[in-house]
Amino acid sequence: MEYFKKMRGTTKSPPGVGPFELLVSWIGAFLGIAAVALANYNILKDTDLVMIIGSFGASAVLIYGAVRSPLAQPRNLVGGHIISAIIGVATYNLLNGYMWLAASVAVATAIVVMHATKTLHPPGGATALIAVIGGENIHDLGYLYAVIPVGLGVLIMLIIALLINNIPKNRRYPECWI
């Protein structure tokens, strides 16, 4: 019975944010994703490279909408994505004949390594999964996937987060670097 009682939760949800905070979050997310998407659809349009991946949308939620979260800090953003990308590519290379196993091993291993390196960033799990299930364009990149799109994309998003999140007087980013 105690097991089921734990599922009730123990606290209330955090308070909502004001309209100005919502506006700053929207502007940050718009500019961060726009910068990466512009690079993808304009600069790289005639190459086989990709610049934007789905896990960047989840990162945008954290670094523009939850700037004080420990999971949104630069170490977590950059380290979590790059570590997870490398793990995803390595897992695909080792287990691509067993995609169900490769997908689950990539995400589970990415979580453990991000925890161990203090770089836990939930979108990193998606970055590892995309390396496995992302299709021919992603697979053809090999370990370059960790540099472009992942490393360069998160660097662009980080720069936008630093610029936008520090404009309001009562908002700051990051809380910490290391």
Side-chain angles (χ1 to χ4, degrees):
M1 204 59 172
E2 186 65 31
Y3 175 78
F4 292 108
K5 285 183 179 176
K6 292 193 299 186
M7 295 180 192
R8 291 189 309 196
T10 57
T11 61
K12 294 182 177 179
S13 64
V17 297
F20 184 70
E21 188 75 16
L22 296 173
L23 178 65
V24 173
S25 296
W26 188 92
I27 291 170
F30 173 80
L31 292 175
I33 295 297
V36 175
L38 276 170
N40 185 74
Y41 294 112
N42 293 324
I43 298 170
L44 302 177
K45 70 179 179 184
D46 295 327
T47 72
D48 289 335
L49 296 174
V50 291
M51 188 66 198
I52 192 164
I53 56 175
S55 56
F56 289 170
S59 289
V61 172
L62 287 168
I63 66 172
Y64 307 116
V67 298
R68 300 190 73 190
S69 167
L71 305 176
Q73 302 310 305
R75 175 189 176 104
N76 302 72
L77 171 70
V78 176
H81 271 294
I82 291 175
I83 287 169
S84 297
I86 293 168
I87 289 168
V89 172
T91 304
Y92 175 77
N93 289 341
L94 291 170
L95 300 171
N96 64 45
Y98 308 93
M99 291 299 280
W100 69 269
L101 183 60
S104 55
V105 166
V107 174
T109 304
I111 291 170
V112 168
V113 175
M114 285 190 289
H115 262 305
T117 58
K118 295 172 41 176
T119 60
L120 190 63
H121 185 70
T127 298
L129 186 59
I130 290 166
V132 174
I133 65 168
E136 192 173 321
N137 279 357
I138 296 293
H139 296 154
D140 289 347
L141 294 173
Y143 287 101
L144 182 61
Y145 172 72
V147 179
I148 299 175
V150 174
L152 186 56
V154 296
L155 181 62
I156 291 170
M157 292 178 65
L158 175 60
I159 291 168
I160 300 293
L162 292 169
L163 294 173
I164 297 300
N165 288 329
N166 289 304
I167 291 174
K169 287 182 182 176
N170 60 348
R171 184 174 171 146
R172 65 182 303 158
Y173 180 81
E175 293 291 317
C176 62
W177 281 95
I178 305 287

